[in-house]
Amino acid sequence: MNIRTFLQQKVREAMSSAEIPEAFGAHVTPSKNPKFGDYQANGAMAAAKSMQTKPRELAQKICDNLLLDGIAKQIEIAGPGFINIHLDHTWIANTLYHASLDKKLGVTTKEQPDTVVIDYSSPNLAKEMHVGHLRSTIIGDATARILSFIGDSVIRQNHVGDWGTQFGMLIAELSDQLGEGCSAEFALKDLEKFYQQSKKRFDDDSTFSDRARDYVVKLQSGDAEVLTLWQRFRDVSLSHSGDIYRLLNVTLKPEDIRGESAYNDDLEVLVNALEKTGLAKEDEGALVIFLDELADKEGNPSPVIVQKKDGGYLYATTDLAAIRFRANALKATRIQYFIDDRQSLHMKQVFTVARKAGFVENNVRLEHCAFGKMLGKDGKPFKTRTGGTVKLAELLDEAVEKAVTVVKEKNPQLNSEQVAEIARKVGIGAVKYADLSITRTNDYVFDWDAMLSFEGNTGPYLQYAFTRIASIFRKAEQDLQRFDASIELNEPQEIALALKLLKFSEVLEQVAEDAYPHVLCNYLYELASLFMRFYEACPILKTEVAEADKLSRLQLSKATAQTIRLGLDLLGIEVMERM
Ligand code: ARG
């Protein structure tokens, strides 16, 4: 259950009984300080102001009508008219107990689910995936998991760059290498090298560049032979990114791929439509849409070129076709783009044109979920030691390798198979968590030591918190999954932990609304820290602990472990029983 929403409804009902117009909300928020209760309703002040009554008197009227018997143990008015609600501990205990029996841990699912199209990862297939794609892939995937968990119908769209003039030179190169008897897999084993090689030939050798240009024309006109070569290239490149998704524990599947090439046939139709409505105008031979909405400081409208002088289409044209497809064919009610913040003008242009052209209704939410750069410890863009781009595959291998050392150090008793399995989860989890735990709109500093540390707000810290609870259950000779005991809350640390656990639903709701997964990370970190405090203050397995306390505390521990596991799972991070 989402307690904030529940109290919100209760207070609003009381406001209606007190004859306060519907327009005034209850404004229930969690209290920052337990002195002021667990939740506060702050709606009385605004209502009183416009009803021209005294806020404290109005707050009193609300309280008189507030039906929270057995739910709140105390309700009081504070300051100018805040209503402080102190929840009843037995009610907290029972609510938490019931949540812990539920597969979804009591998280409320949306009554009116959205159809959300999430555009993420979307690498260019001409090159190997590099660190630039990491953030989009990780943050987009966590959001997709969270939205679908709370009941939205999520359509993942991997808008891969699989079209454009550079494919001419790549196909020419591939054709040559296949002619020499090389297999496509072998030729494209190192995509990066392959790209450099064909680029060099394109620049240095005019017969080659002529052929490359000829291939582009043939590709666009649907020449069967050239299309087959293109398909070969595309398949091998996609299998590289598929490997990365698997290693990264990312939910993108081949059926989620709808690349730029998928919109080819639609571009001409689209541009014609834009021209007919008068939105696109000819300008120096090109077709351009001028947007006053996005004019610069001098008042010059922002130009969006949809067709070049030579007839070619652009990145924006394809994105317009994609957004129209998403709204019309996929019936999206919300469309999210996880793309770095350097493309924010591009996204604004696409959104504005899509609205003006009537491709997307006003009630469909369009969101550019932007994120900042990945920096090295020196504060400069993250690069290899020699200054090159870091390949994602190599970065992830290094993460697992480093985790092997860390895991072995922590627990020398593990056999090599266990070490490998745990290190994979720890290494990948650390990379993902480091990215997810900072506000996505900020740049973030990639730092191996910090992310692999068992202290602080890190992936390993949370995985370790889970294993600690698992080990308590092993010592107690109890099964964590099946354990079932009622909860009784007496100590302040028990109450604080229980209240935090009950906020899980609220946190997920917020993350689903704003697409800021770091809010979930912060929550899990605070939860794990509260658990450690509880565990220090409230012994569980010591002989002097009364049986009822022991069982209740085990149930609290179980609820914590379940929440950490589910929370991490929604971030795309795995846990383990021991480490
Ligand atoms: N392929 C692009 C790149 O690597 C990202 C595409 C993002 N999605 C979109 N619909 N434009 O920069």
Side-chain angles (χ1 to χ4, degrees):
M1 160 156 67
N2 189 329
I3 297 183
R4 196 181 73 86
T5 314
F6 171 73
L7 292 176
Q8 181 102 359
Q9 279 159 5
K10 288 285 180 191
V11 174
R12 191 43 253 186
E13 280 165 26
M15 290 169 86
S16 296
S17 309
E19 280 161 15
I20 299 172
E22 284 299 321
F24 297 103
H27 297 291
V28 172
T29 59
S31 303
K32 296 228 162 60
N33 185 337
K35 256 199 341 222
F36 303 126
D38 303 310
Y39 286 84
Q40 286 188 325
N42 303 334
M45 278 85 74
K49 197 168 171 200
S50 94
M51 291 167 73
Q52 297 184 340
T53 55
K54 293 193 177 124
R56 279 188 73 102
E57 269 170 31
L58 198 63
Q60 187 57 52
K61 258 197 184 162
I62 298 173
C63 289
D64 294 342
N65 288 287
L66 194 50
L67 304 174
L68 289 177
D69 286 353
I71 297 170
K73 63 172 187 205
Q74 190 192 338
I75 302 170
E76 84 231 341
I77 298 165
F82 298 107
I83 299 171
N84 297 344
I85 302 170
H86 302 256
L87 294 171
D88 180 85
H89 295 167
T90 311
W91 183 79
I92 296 176
N94 289 338
T95 310
L96 180 60
Y97 171 69
H98 286 290
S100 73
L101 297 183
D102 174 23
K103 251 230 267 350
K104 297 197 113 172
L105 300 186
V107 172
T108 329
T109 39
K110 268 169 99 171
E111 272 168 36
Q112 285 168 316
D114 274 298
T115 300
V116 191
V117 165
I118 309 185
D119 180 322
Y120 70 103
S121 193
S122 309
N124 289 332
L125 298 189
K127 293 186 168 191
E128 194 156 326
M129 277 181 88
H130 55 84
V131 294
H133 300 112
L134 191 61
R135 303 206 67 195
S136 173
T137 307
I138 292 177
I139 307 172
D141 199 55
T143 310
R145 286 168 185 260
I146 292 167
L147 290 182
S148 80
F149 182 76
I150 66 154
D152 283 333
S153 128
V154 171
I155 305 175
R156 293 163 172 80
Q157 290 282 279
N158 195 353
H159 188 85
V160 297
D162 60 355
W163 203 250
T165 49
Q166 49 187 338
F167 282 89
M169 95 192 170
L170 294 168
I171 297 168
E173 177 68 27
L174 182 61
S175 151
D176 287 350
Q177 294 204 18
L178 293 180
E180 284 160 19
C182 207
S183 74
E185 285 72 19
F186 187 80
L188 298 169
K189 227 171 71 126
D190 189 334
L191 261 185
E192 209 57 34
K193 235 202 220 140
F194 185 89
Y195 181 91
Q196 303 305 346
Q197 207 164 308
S198 61
K199 177 87 172 71
K200 192 163 172 4
R201 284 183 75 193
F202 186 86
D203 292 340
D204 299 350
D205 173 354
S206 65
T207 11
F208 182 82
S209 60
D210 285 344
R211 249 178 72 222
R213 282 192 204 98
D214 179 42
Y215 276 163
V216 175
V217 176
K218 282 190 171 149
L219 185 61
Q220 273 159 355
S221 61
D223 178 283
E225 214 172 303
V226 176
L227 266 178
T228 311
L229 281 168
W230 169 78
Q231 194 76 50
R232 273 274 203 39
F233 183 93
R234 188 178 183 271
D235 287 347
V236 177
S237 180
L238 282 174
S239 82
H240 284 306
S241 43
D243 291 344
I244 297 221
Y245 297 149
R246 231 166 293 130
L247 180 58
L248 255 186
N249 185 26
V250 156
T251 55
L252 281 170
K253 296 279 161 340
E255 55 271 27
D256 303 320
I257 296 165
R258 198 179 162 87
E260 296 185 4
S261 66
Y263 301 100
N264 278 338
D265 296 342
D266 199 25
L267 300 180
E268 194 186 328
V269 187
L270 181 116
V271 167
N272 284 341
L274 289 170
E275 209 181 354
K276 232 191 225 136
T277 55
L279 217 50
K281 294 190 181 69
E282 209 197 293
D283 187 72
E284 293 175 35
L287 269 175
V288 188
I289 300 171
F290 291 97
L291 296 173
D292 289 327
E293 295 84 344
L294 303 175
D296 63 16
K297 282 187 210 96
E298 279 85 51
N300 305 309
S302 172
V304 185
I305 306 175
V306 290
Q307 189 168 24
K308 289 189 289 192
K309 207 170 164 174
D310 67 5
Y313 300 106
L314 295 105
Y315 186 47
T317 327
T318 311
D319 257 323
L320 284 167
I323 205 167
R324 184 164 79 159
F325 173 78
R326 291 164 184 184
N328 297 344
L330 299 180
K331 308 237 173 307
T333 56
R334 185 179 186 187
I335 311 176
Q336 297 182 316
Y337 293 80
F338 287 86
I339 314 178
D340 74 64
D341 54 17
R342 286 170 303 179
Q343 292 193 28
S344 66
L345 176 62
H346 166 75
M347 287 323 305
K348 276 189 202 146
Q349 292 178 326
V350 169
F351 293 170
T352 310
V353 174
R355 297 268 195 224
K356 284 182 92 164
F359 294 165
V360 181
E361 301 284 347
N362 277 336
N363 56 2
V364 175
R365 291 171 68 180
L366 300 177
E367 298 164 36
H368 176 201
C369 304
F371 49 83
K373 283 185 288 295
M374 191 158 143
L375 305 175
K377 261 170 109 170
D378 54 3
K380 299 206 185 101
F382 191 71
K383 289 266 157 73
T384 58
R385 237 170 256 141
T386 52
T389 37
V390 179
K391 290 183 187 177
L392 210 41
E394 284 168 12
L395 181 95
L396 297 178
D397 287 344
E398 191 174 347
V400 176
E401 234 169 76
K402 286 194 188 306
V404 166
T405 317
V406 173
V407 169
K408 273 186 178 163
E409 220 169 84
K410 186 110 191 146
N411 188 348
Q413 267 122 42
L414 297 168
N415 66 39
S416 60
E417 217 172 287
Q418 289 169 317
V419 170
E421 168 74 359
I422 295 170
R424 183 183 59 77
K425 293 180 178 176
V426 170
I428 299 297
V431 169
K432 292 178 92 172
Y433 193 88
D435 195 330
L436 291 163
S437 60
I438 57 128
T439 312
R440 68 169 152 73
T441 42
N442 294 344
D443 287 345
Y444 110 94
V445 176
F446 192 90
D447 177 352
W448 286 118
D449 296 330
M451 73 176 74
L452 283 164
S453 165
F454 281 93
E455 273 150 53
N457 189 7
T458 67
Y461 174 77
L462 286 170
Q463 287 168 324
Y464 183 60
F466 179 84
T467 61
R468 262 186 94 167
I469 300 176
S471 96
I472 294 170
F473 275 80
R474 277 196 299 276
K475 268 194 215 120
E477 295 178 357
Q478 293 287 352
D479 183 322
L480 176 64
Q481 307 294 342
R482 262 175 261 155
F483 186 81
D484 183 358
S486 56
I487 298 174
E488 223 177 275
L489 301 172
N490 298 309
E491 302 302 324
Q493 293 84 355
E494 292 175 322
I495 297 162
L497 179 62
L499 260 172
K500 191 80 186 172
L501 284 164
L502 281 178
K503 290 198 173 132
F504 187 49
S505 188
E506 282 164 40
V507 169
L508 291 185
E509 189 179 272
Q510 193 193 333
V511 177
E513 182 55 29
D514 309 333
Y516 277 108
H518 76 275
V519 173
L520 175 56
C521 296
N522 287 347
Y523 167 81
L524 292 173
Y525 176 56
E526 284 163 21
L527 175 67
S529 310
L530 281 176
F531 177 80
M532 299 303 181
R533 247 171 271 159
F534 150 81
Y535 190 53
E536 269 162 39
C538 308
I540 302 177
L541 302 180
K542 292 211 174 110
T543 39
E544 69 269 19
V545 179
E547 187 67 8
D549 285 341
K550 172 180 148 186
L551 295 178
S552 165
R553 286 170 188 175
L554 279 172
Q555 188 73 18
L556 265 176
S557 307
K558 170 182 170 153
T560 308
Q562 284 173 313
T563 306
I564 292 176
R565 174 171 40 205
L566 177 55
L568 286 178
D569 182 55
L570 292 174
L571 295 170
I573 297 171
E574 296 169 90
V575 294
M576 45 262 154
E577 298 290 320
R578 56 181 94 224
M579 72 198 274

